[in-house]
Amino acid sequence: MTHTDDEGPVQVKRAYKLRAYPTRPQEGRAVRLLADHCDLYNAALQERSDAWRMRKVSISYGTQSAQLTRIRSADPDGQGRHSFTAQQQTLRRLNTTFQAFFKRVRDAEKERARPRRTPKDGEHPKKARTVGSPRFKPYQRFDQVLFVAGDGAKWESATEGRWAYASFQAVGRVKVNQHRAVEGRVKTLQLKREYRRWYVIVVTETEPTALPATGRAVGVDVGVARFLTTSDGEVVANPRVLDAAQATIADLQRRKARAKPGSGNRKRLRRQLAREWRKVNNQRRDFHHKTARVLVDACDALALEALAVGNMTASAAGTVEQPGRNVAQKAGLNRSILDAGWGQFTSILTAKAASAGRRVILVNPSSTSIDCYACGARCTRPRQDTVVCPCCGPWDADLNGARNIHTRAGLGSGQAHAA
């Protein structure tokens, strides 16, 4: 078990997503809760946006949190009904959004300050990076509220049978299907709506349970043709869950687009479409959890690339004046990358490894697939699945990448490159 010098065992967090079954009156109060928190979020966003646009001034979370007492006093039947701590969590959520926004602004300014490369003949000049400001949220897209356990929310674990209960201020005591044991000290409770379903996400804090050492350490190369390849040759196929449902989803989207807005038929199609997307997301998440569990059980250390998936899936459409090239092919590749869900898989793998006392190492992804792992020479890539080294000959591209990742993490030769 991992220990710190002074504070005892290191704690890890676990999240349990459990289906909730509110009564009709509770559901109405839960919808009101989400709407009131959405209003608070949008009002705080308006204040921050106006201050930034007019004076280039950043309003802090502390300033807005200090205003909550006056807001609640002025609206006792609205904002005053809800948990003060939960409202603070909503303001913190907005604060996190603005911190990411300011980071994007700084990165864009640094990018504009760099000297630009002169485009080659026939090459379109690179577009200047634009930064979009945070957006207001409509009621139907504000779907979760976070509570601190013991302050506006209470968790009652199931004792006999499967039913547990979660109590939320201004909502009531909601029945929850506890299909698995909730281990550790409950820290936060989150009430979440996913279209017509309700969930309670219970976050607990517990000590990691170290698994026995296996003596195995691998580099993992993720991809589209194969989901992953390890440095010792293990291959996991890509399930392509979106491809299997693509025809059904596309048909429902076409029918929904033709349906009259506000009609009963359009609402039914929206429900069917939400059901199909939920099925796809659940299948992908289930695959990620099972694959990560197998790797964590079998390996002491796992090395992956620190991939910037957002940059990899950027649109190639360009502008009207400077249209992009191979737009359809790039769109298809982007869809395949997003369907694989590398970011979600990395997060799940990292969490399971921390809980099991394993190591996950993220390395710089630059040229891992195109450099020869044996001699370091730059390879050619005549096909997607093959690289050819001028010294060593042909290699499987994914296996070559996985072995480069293994080496960069210091698991092979001891040569590590920071991500």
Side-chain angles (χ1 to χ4, degrees):
M1 185 173 295
T2 305
H3 288 74
T4 60
D5 294 336
D6 303 316
E7 300 178 358
V10 174
Q11 301 291 305
V12 295
K13 289 186 176 180
R14 290 183 177 177
Y16 301 85
K17 185 177 180 181
L18 308 172
R19 179 84 180 270
Y21 294 88
T23 63
R24 284 291 180 88
Q26 287 174 342
E27 185 172 8
R29 293 193 292 269
V31 170
R32 169 80 183 274
L33 170 75
L34 293 178
D36 287 345
H37 275 262
C38 182
D39 289 337
L40 177 66
Y41 181 96
N42 287 336
L45 172 58
Q46 183 71 61
E47 183 183 24
R48 283 178 176 248
S49 299
D50 291 345
W52 177 257
R53 186 180 66 253
M54 296 176 183
R55 306 188 304 276
K56 294 296 179 184
V57 172
S58 174
I59 296 179
S60 68
Y61 157 76
T63 301
Q64 292 193 317
S65 180
Q67 300 172 18
L68 274 177
T69 303
R70 297 196 304 273
I71 293 171
R72 290 165 60 86
S73 299
D75 186 18
D77 296 328
Q79 296 295 336
R81 300 169 59 250
H82 303 299
S83 166
F84 185 91
T85 309
Q87 290 172 327
Q88 287 181 316
Q89 303 308 314
T90 296
L91 294 180
R92 283 196 176 98
R93 175 179 172 182
L94 176 64
N95 188 60
T96 301
T97 300
F98 264 88
Q99 287 176 344
F101 165 64
F102 291 134
K103 183 180 183 300
R104 293 195 301 271
V105 170
R106 290 193 298 270
D107 292 345
E109 289 174 350
K110 289 179 183 177
E111 189 174 317
R112 283 193 292 268
R114 294 194 194 106
R116 290 185 173 275
R117 179 178 64 84
T118 304
K120 299 177 182 178
D121 293 340
E123 183 181 6
H124 295 298
K126 188 176 180 181
K127 294 189 296 181
R129 181 180 175 185
T130 58
V131 178
S133 59
R135 298 180 182 180
F136 295 97
K137 290 187 179 292
Y139 289 145
Q140 63 268 27
R141 290 185 178 273
F142 195 94
D143 55 10
Q144 54 192 331
V145 174
L146 181 66
F147 291 81
V148 176
D151 191 347
K154 179 183 177 183
W155 173 251
E156 301 172 51
S157 191
T159 53
E160 296 181 1
R162 64 180 183 177
W163 296 113
Y165 292 91
S167 301
F168 300 100
Q169 184 173 328
V171 176
R173 188 169 178 257
V174 179
K175 189 166 68 171
V176 179
N177 180 8
Q178 186 179 331
H179 62 272
R180 57 181 299 195
V182 175
E183 301 175 356
R185 180 186 175 192
V186 177
K187 300 293 289 183
T188 62
L189 295 169
Q190 187 173 345
L191 183 62
K192 183 175 184 181
R193 176 183 61 194
E194 290 186 3
Y195 196 60
R196 300 182 78 184
R197 292 188 177 188
W198 292 88
Y199 294 90
V200 172
I201 300 174
V202 185
V203 177
T204 66
E205 200 170 64
T206 184
E207 296 179 8
T209 303
L211 295 177
T214 63
R216 183 186 179 198
V218 298
V220 178
D221 181 72
V222 294
V224 172
R226 305 166 180 167
F227 180 71
L228 66 81
T229 304
T230 65
S231 54
D232 52 9
E234 182 181 351
V235 174
V236 175
N238 188 353
R240 299 181 182 273
V241 292
L242 180 58
D243 284 357
Q246 187 65 37
T248 302
I249 289 175
D251 178 61
L252 288 171
Q253 286 174 330
R254 281 192 295 267
R255 290 165 59 191
K256 175 174 166 285
R258 291 195 297 264
K260 183 179 178 181
S263 66
N265 186 40
R266 187 181 178 91
K267 291 178 182 178
R268 283 190 293 272
L269 289 169
R270 283 181 60 194
R271 287 197 295 269
Q272 293 177 34
L273 195 56
R275 191 181 305 118
E276 289 298 324
W277 278 114
R278 182 170 60 244
K279 188 187 301 183
V280 168
N281 293 334
N282 288 344
Q283 288 174 339
R284 183 186 296 116
R285 189 180 301 108
D286 180 70
F287 169 74
H288 287 166
H289 273 285
K290 290 177 179 176
T291 304
R293 173 49 58 199
V294 170
L295 287 172
V296 168
D297 287 347
C299 304
D300 295 334
L302 297 143
L304 295 89
E305 295 171 299
L307 296 173
V309 178
N311 295 339
M312 296 173 68
T313 55
S315 172
T319 63
V320 175
E321 297 79 14
Q322 298 173 354
R325 294 177 294 181
N326 300 323
V327 176
Q329 295 90 325
K330 182 64 167 66
L333 176 61
N334 290 353
R335 185 168 57 249
S336 297
I337 292 173
L338 294 173
D339 184 24
W342 300 335
Q344 177 177 268
F345 173 71
T346 301
S347 298
I348 290 173
L349 180 66
T350 303
K352 289 186 183 298
S355 181
R358 306 300 204 195
R359 282 195 304 151
V360 171
I361 307 163
L362 299 178
V363 304
N364 188 340
S366 176
S367 303
T368 52
S369 295
I370 205 68
D371 287 346
C372 177
Y373 83 91
C375 66
R378 182 55 56 91
C379 304
T380 58
R381 194 163 186 171
R383 299 188 314 180
Q384 184 63 28
D385 60 350
T386 305
V387 293
V388 179
C389 173
C391 304
C392 307
W395 296 110
D396 180 283
D398 295 335
L399 181 61
N400 179 68
R403 289 178 175 172
N404 274 325
I405 295 167
H406 183 266
T407 300
R408 288 192 182 189
L411 303 177
S413 68
Q415 301 171 353
H417 301 271

